Amino acid sequence: MNGYEKHDLDDDAFGAKGGIVSAFDAFPKAKPQYVQRTAGGGKWTVAMIVISLILSWTEFSRWWRGTETHTFAVEKGVSHILNINMDMVVRMKCSDLHVNVQDAAGDRILAAEALKRDPTNWSQWVDNRGIHKLGKDELGRVITGEGHDEGFGEEHIHDIVALGRRKARWGKTPRLWGAEGDSCRIYGSLELNKVQGDFHITARGHGYMEFGDHLDHNSFNFSHIISELSFGPYLPSLVNPLDGTVDTTPAHFHKFQYFMSIVPTVYSVGDPARLGSRSIVTNQYAVTQQSREVSDRTIPGIFFKYDIEPILLNIVESRDGFFVFIIKLINILSGALVAGHWGYRLSDWVTEVMGKRRRSGHSEGMLGK
């Protein structure tokens, strides 16, 4: 009879069993009869499972979104064409409006021949949700940047690139159902010279020396709604600063001016220097506005003055490889389990110490009896 049998111990619970490889097992396992389950351990286990799930989901979301990097560089590409995409409603009849572009090179482009103009009613557009004044939300509050999305970048780069590769179409103008429209929808894309220029909408017979009668001044009303104003390829998925804005005026002689600084922008998923990356080339802009009532000696209208900055903004979305993501996920789960183990040991020790103090404080001893 050996020592284990003498003391009624099960020698199967001790020592390495099996072959030589089993002797090097770094994860020895105890039999169920030697494992004690406690309520405290169960609570810590549930807590660690919840924390591990939250951390795992956070890491997965970060990996799925990727990391965005913004870099500026001097634009090296040579391009002579710049597209402008416009979709706006002016509260005047189409026959009373004159649309034109004149750039710094002195070229005059008759935009009215390239853009479409459909008669419509002001009431069909002004109540659309999302229409708001420039710099203010739909409730009239000034946008400070806190709690508001600011156009470009509000979507993930991979979504922007994916949507940018789809063919976009202009929406249809609402039907008038026999009524005569009081407004004009001007929309479409126009090719411009890639130089500083001025795009403007004025009244018929005003702005340039033209033959024919001038429009009656009482018909002037340059209140307008801008649904789309962008430069480059038509990408309706990107929200620009002037998209969804409205400005009205009760005066017949009113001048709206928008000053825009255009920055060429490249969105890329993956390093552009590597194979397999996807990119789209577009433009974004910053805009300031001036709006004032003018005298009858000044030409009223809507004027968009644009200038092209000699810089290029590269926005690149990159993410770790799947193998690296798995390693980071394992590290997070391992850290959570180790922290949970030490937290359980510490709480168990504190409970044991407090229990001993309570028992020693109520004990009377043998002499007390």
Side-chain angles (χ1 to χ4, degrees):
M1 181 181 296
N2 55 32
Y4 295 125
E5 294 176 351
K6 183 177 181 180
H7 295 282
D8 296 330
L9 296 177
D10 185 5
D11 57 353
D12 291 337
F14 304 92
K17 300 298 180 182
I20 298 177
V21 179
S22 301
F24 294 95
D25 186 5
F27 307 97
K29 303 168 184 61
K31 289 189 175 182
Q33 57 266 31
Y34 297 105
V35 177
Q36 181 181 5
R37 300 183 181 275
T38 61
K43 294 177 181 178
W44 274 96
T45 301
V46 173
M48 285 303 98
I49 291 176
V50 174
I51 293 175
S52 298
L53 290 175
I54 294 175
L55 294 177
S56 299
W57 176 254
T58 302
E59 179 62 21
F60 175 78
S61 300
R62 186 203 63 79
W63 174 79
W64 180 255
R65 288 194 307 267
T67 303
E68 295 183 11
T69 56
H70 298 242
T71 57
F72 287 93
V74 178
E75 187 181 15
K76 299 180 181 179
V78 178
S79 176
H80 303 285
I81 300 299
L82 176 67
N83 288 346
I84 180 172
N85 311 294
M86 172 174 289
D87 187 359
M88 63 181 301
V89 176
V90 182
R91 201 167 187 178
M92 293 176 62
K93 295 181 179 180
C94 293
S95 58
D96 295 339
L97 292 175
H98 186 87
V99 185
N100 210 327
V101 178
Q102 187 169 11
D103 56 33
D107 293 340
R108 178 182 172 187
I109 303 172
L110 295 178
E113 298 178 359
L115 298 176
K116 296 180 180 180
R117 295 194 291 183
D118 293 341
T120 186
N121 284 322
W122 180 262
S123 59
Q124 294 177 314
W125 300 85
V126 71
D127 293 331
N128 287 353
R129 187 172 182 178
I131 299 299
H132 56 276
K133 277 186 171 291
L134 178 61
K136 296 183 180 180
D137 60 14
E138 51 270 20
L139 298 179
R141 298 173 299 188
V142 177
I143 297 177
T144 61
E146 298 182 1
H148 295 272
D149 291 329
E150 297 184 349
F152 277 77
E154 67 182 31
E155 297 182 3
H156 301 318
I157 303 303
H158 57 267
D159 295 330
I160 293 176
V161 173
L163 293 174
R165 291 174 173 267
R166 299 179 182 178
K167 186 177 181 180
R169 296 181 179 180
W170 297 99
K172 295 182 179 180
T173 305
R175 294 184 179 182
L176 293 177
W177 301 106
E180 184 180 3
D182 60 359
S183 302
C184 181
R185 180 194 179 194
I186 306 171
Y187 65 100
S189 298
L190 181 67
E191 284 190 356
L192 308 175
N193 296 323
K194 196 175 181 180
V195 293
Q196 180 183 3
D198 181 4
F199 182 97
H200 52 265
I201 301 175
T202 56
R204 173 172 49 86
H206 294 74
Y208 288 97
M209 296 298 297
E210 296 178 350
F211 297 101
D213 297 334
H214 287 191
L215 182 65
D216 184 9
H217 294 174
N218 292 327
S219 301
F220 291 177
N221 190 339
F222 289 99
S223 301
H224 58 279
I225 299 171
I226 302 176
S227 301
E228 171 77 21
L229 184 63
S230 59
F231 297 87
Y234 176 44
L235 305 174
S237 60
L238 295 180
V239 181
N240 299 277
L242 288 177
D243 292 354
T245 59
V246 59
D247 215 335
T248 60
T249 175
H252 297 300
F253 279 82
H254 203 98
K255 189 174 185 178
F256 298 94
Q257 289 182 300
Y258 298 93
F259 302 91
M260 295 174 289
S261 296
I262 303 173
V263 178
T265 305
V266 179
Y267 287 93
S268 302
V269 177
D271 189 352
R274 296 181 180 179
L275 295 176
S277 62
R278 295 174 292 125
S279 303
I280 59 171
V281 181
T282 182
N283 299 274
Q284 57 178 313
Y285 60 88
V287 59
T288 57
Q289 178 194 23
Q290 289 183 358
S291 173
R292 70 183 189 277
E293 186 176 349
V294 295
S295 65
D296 55 0
R297 296 182 179 181
T298 305
I299 300 175
I302 307 170
F303 299 84
F304 300 92
K305 299 180 182 295
Y306 57 90
D307 193 8
I308 303 172
E309 302 294 337
I311 58 176
L312 177 67
L313 174 60
N314 290 293
I315 303 177
V316 180
E317 178 185 276
S318 58
R319 61 169 55 87
D320 298 328
F322 185 74
F323 182 70
V324 176
F325 164 70
I326 293 298
I327 292 178
K328 290 184 177 181
L329 190 62
I330 293 175
N331 289 337
I332 291 175
L333 295 177
S334 300
L337 292 177
V338 171
H341 173 72
W342 281 103
Y344 167 70
R345 295 290 297 273
L346 182 62
S347 64
D348 187 57
W349 176 78
V350 171
T351 302
E352 183 179 357
V353 171
M354 296 300 295
K356 289 182 178 180
R357 288 184 177 180
R358 285 195 297 268
R359 289 193 299 269
S360 61
H362 292 83
S363 177
E364 298 179 357
M366 294 300 296
L367 293 178
K369 296 180 179 180

